[in-house]
Amino acid sequence: MLEEPILMQNQNGAINCDTFAQQEFIRLKELYKLNTAVETGTCLGYTTEFLSNNFDIVKSIEINPTFLNIANQNRLSSLDNCEVLQGDSAMLLSSILESIDNNTFIFLDAHWGNHCPLKDELKQIANSKLKPVIAIHDFKVPNNNELGYDSINGQPFTYEWLKSDIDAIYGEDGYDYHYNTKSIGAKRGIIYITPKIN
């Protein structure tokens, strides 16, 4: 196994060792009968491995070739249902979306430091006309100071910031959303966006 750099707290488990998030991913998979998972931000591959163990097909994107090499060498190379692309999700996500259907869970977690492809990712999803289940990591949960979140240029990751992008995917009245209320591990906020079931 390749030596792994220390990049963040609780990096050696899926979704930063957050078993509550892992349970919610599986609950949504079963509720919406999802068979494919798409992840942006493979990093060291722990979440990718978890997704591969729970979904039929997994596609992931990682911009950092060193991280991707470690992920492949240490845990992903033996997974037959997992495909990982190296590059920027702001440019590569659309090619993945062309090959999947609505029965898809998309986990957006490629933001890191000053690199924030979130709006570009959501725009690509809107352009695809798909209406998947989406989870966004490192999100600001209203009225909860215990869960960490990211910001870009002083803008916290909030629903209000991304509302127009989300509306473009589902239509203004075509979705519901909720946040995590419990978290362990790195204790990061997550928003879950789900298409309304008719």
Side-chain angles (χ1 to χ4, degrees), residues 25-41:
F25 282 26
I26 293 170
R27 186 188 75 84
L28 291 170
K29 173 210 166 186
E30 293 173 350
L31 178 63
Y32 288 88
K33 298 178 173 56
L34 309 176
N35 53 35
T36 300
V38 175
E39 172 193 38
T40 64

Side-chain angles (χ1 to χ4, degrees), residues 124-140:
Q124 290 176 73
I125 297 170
N127 290 341
S128 76
K129 308 300 182 189
L130 295 174
K131 301 206 171 10
V133 172
I134 299 173
I136 306 174
H137 203 217
D138 307 303
F139 216 83
K140 183 173 174 59

Side-chain angles (χ1 to χ4, degrees), residues 70-180:
I70 293 170
N72 279 329
Q73 290 282 327
N74 289 1
R75 60 193 52 85
L76 302 183
S77 60
S78 63
L79 302 176
D80 294 336
N81 66 335
C82 180
E83 177 187 9
V84 184
L85 303 179
Q86 196 273 309
D88 189 343
S89 60
M91 300 171 62
L92 292 179
L93 182 58
S94 59
S95 65
I96 289 177
L97 298 175
E98 291 173 359
S99 66
I100 60 176
D101 58 26
N102 276 330
N103 300 319
T104 298
F105 179 84
I106 300 181
F107 182 45
L108 301 179
D109 195 23
H111 36 271
W112 181 277
N114 291 324
H115 179 71
C116 183
L118 259 180
K119 281 188 166 283
D120 288 324
E121 292 169 341
L122 292 171
K123 185 178 294 183
Q124 290 176 73
I125 297 170
N127 290 341
S128 76
K129 308 300 182 189
L130 295 174
K131 301 206 171 10
V133 172
I134 299 173
I136 306 174
H137 203 217
D138 307 303
F139 216 83
K140 183 173 174 59
V141 177
N143 305 312
N144 190 325
N145 295 324
E146 293 183 0
L147 300 180
Y149 59 91
D150 284 357
S151 301
I152 184 71
N153 298 324
Q155 170 62 62
F157 291 7
T158 63
Y159 170 72
E160 292 73 20
W161 177 51
L162 296 176
K163 180 181 185 303
S164 62
D165 303 289
I166 298 168
D167 289 350
I169 296 171
Y170 304 95
E172 285 190 39
D173 300 315
Y175 64 96
D176 297 304
Y177 67 95
H178 65 280
Y179 304 95
N180 59 327

